[in-house]
Amino acid sequence: KDYYYITVVVWIQNTKGQFLIQKTVPKKHHMWATTGGHPKAGESSLEGIITEIKEELGLTVNPDELKLFKTQKTIDDFIDIYYLKSEIDINKLTLQKEEVEEVKLLTSKEIEDIINNGNFLESHAYIFKNFINC
């Protein structure tokens, strides 16, 4: 009660308009989502999303490349939604095998189809529909 935690997510988009999404491993819901998590104790939101990107994708990101798109308050957390415009070769990523099963680059329409089929993590689908795909 009266305590909140921080959640960080990032939407990575290339110049073709495709977004990088990842499928979580079976023990983590086995759903499509975007990269994200919770900052470690002592990390800022920005430091936390940089850590999550490095851990989950093996990708080193410069803090200046990330844009804080929006902060969304929920019942028990604050979600910092970041945006990164970058050309990423998904074949060169090092996926965290404990978290990520596979990644894809998809258009907004393709992501909407996955959401409509119930195969996208609900909280990330909400963020996509309400803040990213405007």
Side-chain angles (χ1 to χ4, degrees):
K1 181 176 175 2
D2 298 327
Y3 288 92
Y4 297 90
Y5 59 95
I6 298 171
T7 301
V8 290
V9 297
V10 62
W11 290 91
I12 302 171
Q13 186 179 38
N14 64 19
T15 55
K16 295 177 185 173
Q18 299 168 308
F19 291 94
L20 184 134
I21 63 168
Q22 60 191 48
K23 189 168 194 178
T24 58
V25 295
K27 73 175 187 170
K28 297 276 188 171
H29 308 294
H30 210 228
M31 303 282 282
W32 289 99
T34 191
T35 304
H38 305 284
K40 293 174 175 49
E43 281 186 327
S44 68
S45 167
L46 180 60
E47 291 166 335
I49 196 59
I50 290 170
T51 298
E52 292 296 331
I53 294 168
K54 181 68 174 173
E55 288 177 353
E56 294 181 11
L57 303 175
L59 184 65
T60 301
V61 176
N62 182 321
D64 296 337
E65 296 175 278
L66 289 158
K67 308 268 186 283
L68 179 60
F69 179 74
K70 183 172 182 64
T71 298
Q72 175 69 35
K73 182 184 176 301
T74 69
I75 293 171
D76 56 3
D77 73 340
F78 287 92
I79 305 168
D80 282 346
I81 305 163
Y82 286 90
Y83 176 80
L84 172 65
K85 186 82 156 197
S86 182
E87 295 305 310
I88 295 173
D89 181 348
I90 62 174
N91 297 311
K92 293 184 178 178
L93 296 177
T94 304
L95 305 183
Q96 183 182 22
K97 63 183 177 187
E98 299 84 12
E99 297 267 343
V100 183
E101 185 174 285
E102 67 177 297
V103 294
K104 288 184 180 183
L105 287 167
L106 298 178
T107 65
S108 291
K109 172 69 172 104
E110 291 168 322
I111 293 172
E112 286 175 22
D113 290 344
I114 293 172
I115 291 170
N116 292 336
N117 289 331
N119 295 318
F120 211 90
L121 195 62
E122 188 176 337
S123 59
H124 291 215
Y126 175 82
I127 293 168
F128 184 78
K129 285 186 199 177
N130 291 285
F131 305 116
I132 302 304
N133 195 29
C134 338

